[in-house]
Amino acid sequence: MTERIVVVGASTAGLATVESLREAGFGGEVVLLGAEHWDPYRRPALSKQILLGTWEPDQARLVEASALRALAVDFRLGHRAARIDRRSRTVQTDHEALGTDTIGYDAVVIATGASARQPSWASYSAGVDRPAPAIHLLRTLDDALRVAGQLVRGRRVTVLGTGVLGSEIASAATARGARVSLVGRSAGLSLGAAGLRFSDRLRALHAAHGVEVRTGGEVVAVRSSDGPGYDVLFADGTRLGSDVVIAAAGAEPAVAWLADSGLLTDGNLLADSHGRVADRVFAVGDASSWLDPATGTHRACGHQLTAMEQGRSVGRLLAAGHLSPYPIPFFWSEIHGARVQASGRLDIADSVELLAGDHDSDQALFGFRAGDRTCGLVAWNLPKPFRTHQAALLAQQSAAGSAAHLLETS
């Protein structure tokens, strides 16, 4: 009998798991562990409203304190997971003031998210006689508040990384009056699972707002300059002066604490299509990769709405034994005022077609196709047509998921 469920990680996925447990009727004890000292918050707001300075931290809350109390959860802030012992069914945590603690569980849900990836050269980027300059990262609310304080009008800001996060940081910095360079070693600008398909569109959008884009250039170091600020050094010997350097080089699942648990496969936490990792062990959100029944491969979460759906699925499974459909990937972004929405399995497409709008305008809806089936959508400033086509896509993929579920349970 499941009497105590421990959710490790007060993230979007972790909170969604807790909410779903209660909604589905679980009446046992729920312990929610959060490594940070903030209540659960919206991570997409970090690179948007928080960097722009239009939101205070409290506005990024996922849930009000009163609603969190109403869930009747033992919520422990500042408790970082240190190890899990599956034999004794315990989780050990570390707390700055309280030291170590050991918590027993009947089932555990791992929702420890991901950590920002430090550039590989950062540890040796300084000269021998100079301290290494600070390379700002953006993953947590504390990170976002620190970075936001650096985005001052007229400052030279260099963003390392040409993915979605890099574009969002460049957008926010530009809006606050900084002079921005967006730098990456890939051949173009990436839009998540859509890859480089919209690189030209992104490049034009940045150029229209005064962002200098440098692709195909490998950064090898960042060093304190002879004057104020830093020099970003490239492999070809060129350098770029900057007052602030922000790395957006991707993220890695925060699973190092599981190293001796026997739960990792080649360093990854792999779950089935319903979040099950091992007996009484589940995983949701960025810490894990779920098995995609449509492709037979494990897929990282990567975005808030998918993480929420995973948490809800595991909550229903633990509370009521209900198997939910596999969550369809979805994300959105806002770059220089352009709203981008994406849904589906964009990375398996072999062709892309225009469904609405115009290739050459700032309004367009694209359908991604794998063979003769639509597998994904990307919209630029066309939210209503996107929702219409997304409903059809979800219905199609839900029907396919139901067939797969029948095979799984037969």
Side-chain angles (χ1 to χ4, degrees):
M1 181 178 180
T2 302
E3 297 180 353
R4 176 192 281 173
I5 296 174
V6 175
V7 180
V8 187
S11 58
T12 300
L15 178 62
T17 303
V18 170
E19 292 175 327
S20 182
L21 282 167
R22 293 306 193 208
E23 289 168 4
F26 180 70
E29 184 180 358
V30 178
V31 180
L32 178 61
L33 303 175
E36 297 181 58
H37 293 277
W38 299 98
D39 284 346
Y41 55 83
R42 294 177 173 86
R43 291 195 183 275
L46 303 185
S47 56
K48 301 175 181 69
Q49 293 93 337
I50 297 295
L51 283 195
L52 286 168
T54 57
W55 275 15
E56 294 297 322
D58 278 354
Q59 292 174 277
R61 281 175 177 266
L62 275 166
V63 63
E64 292 299 320
S66 58
L68 196 56
R69 287 195 299 272
L71 292 170
V73 174
D74 180 1
F75 184 25
R76 307 186 190 185
L77 284 170
H79 286 260
R80 183 176 299 278
R83 69 183 302 270
I84 186 171
D85 187 326
R86 292 161 60 198
R87 180 172 297 177
S88 63
R89 289 189 179 175
T90 58
V91 174
Q92 182 179 307
T93 66
D94 287 332
H95 188 280
E96 289 180 6
L98 303 177
T100 62
D101 191 15
T102 300
I103 307 164
Y105 67 82
D106 297 299
V108 63
V109 181
I110 298 167
T112 43
S115 303
R117 184 180 294 123
Q118 183 89 318
S120 59
W121 43 261
S123 61
Y124 55 86
S125 64
V128 174
D129 58 343
R130 299 175 184 172
I135 309 297
H136 293 282
L137 303 176
L138 181 59
R139 186 69 195 181
T140 68
L141 181 51
D142 286 328
D143 292 339
L145 292 171
R146 278 193 294 270
V147 173
Q150 299 293 317
L151 303 184
V152 177
R153 179 171 296 278
R155 269 191 160 181
R156 301 167 299 168
V157 174
T158 298
V159 182
L160 307 178
T162 49
V164 175
L165 180 59
S167 283
E168 289 180 347
I169 295 170
S171 173
T174 301
R176 300 194 68 170
R179 292 178 288 161
V180 181
S181 296
L182 182 59
V183 175
R185 59 178 165 183
S186 68
L189 302 171
S190 174
L191 187 69
L196 302 181
R197 292 180 188 270
F198 298 103
S199 179
D200 290 344
R201 183 178 285 266
L202 284 166
R203 191 184 292 271
L205 184 60
H206 282 302
H209 288 82
V211 175
E212 177 195 17
V213 176
R214 293 192 182 192
T215 54
E218 184 178 359
V219 174
V220 294
V222 174
R223 293 180 180 161
S224 298
S225 65
D226 293 331
Y230 309 114
D231 286 328
V232 178
L233 308 181
F234 293 84
D236 63 4
T238 60
R239 64 184 60 204
L240 176 64
S242 182
D243 299 305
V244 183
V245 182
I246 307 166
E252 298 172 340
V255 294
W257 67 283
L258 297 170
D260 63 353
S261 68
L263 294 171
L264 302 182
T265 302
D266 295 328
N268 297 302
L269 186 62
L270 305 183
D272 70 7
S273 302
H274 305 288
R276 296 173 294 207
V277 178
D279 181 41
R280 312 309 296 164
V281 179
F282 301 79
V284 294
D286 290 338
S288 63
S289 293
W290 281 29
L291 180 66
D292 186 340
T295 63
T297 58
H298 283 86
R299 184 184 296 274
C301 172
H303 299 285
Q304 176 174 273
L305 290 177
T306 306
M308 291 172 67
E309 284 302 315
Q310 289 183 351
R312 293 186 184 116
S313 296
V314 167
R316 288 189 290 265
L317 178 57
L318 278 167
H322 176 67
L323 293 176
S324 305
Y326 180 82
I328 304 303
F330 171 83
F331 76 91
W332 69 277
S333 181
E334 196 161 291
I335 302 167
H336 301 298
R339 188 173 182 84
V340 185
Q341 296 165 288
S343 181
R345 299 169 172 89
L346 307 178
D347 53 336
I348 67 171
D350 48 43
S351 64
V352 178
E353 61 179 344
L354 182 69
L355 299 178
D358 193 305
H359 272 290
D360 299 321
S361 77
D362 62 354
Q363 294 183 312
L365 172 64
F366 299 92
F368 282 58
R369 298 183 67 81
D372 60 352
R373 295 176 66 85
T374 299
C375 60
L377 302 164
V378 173
W380 294 76
N381 298 312
L382 283 178
K384 289 185 178 179
F386 175 80
R387 286 196 296 270
T388 300
H389 283 268
Q390 184 190 32
L393 175 66
L394 293 177
Q396 167 197 304
Q397 298 193 353
S398 177
S402 297
H405 174 69
L406 287 175
L407 289 173
E408 180 181 358
T409 55
S410 61

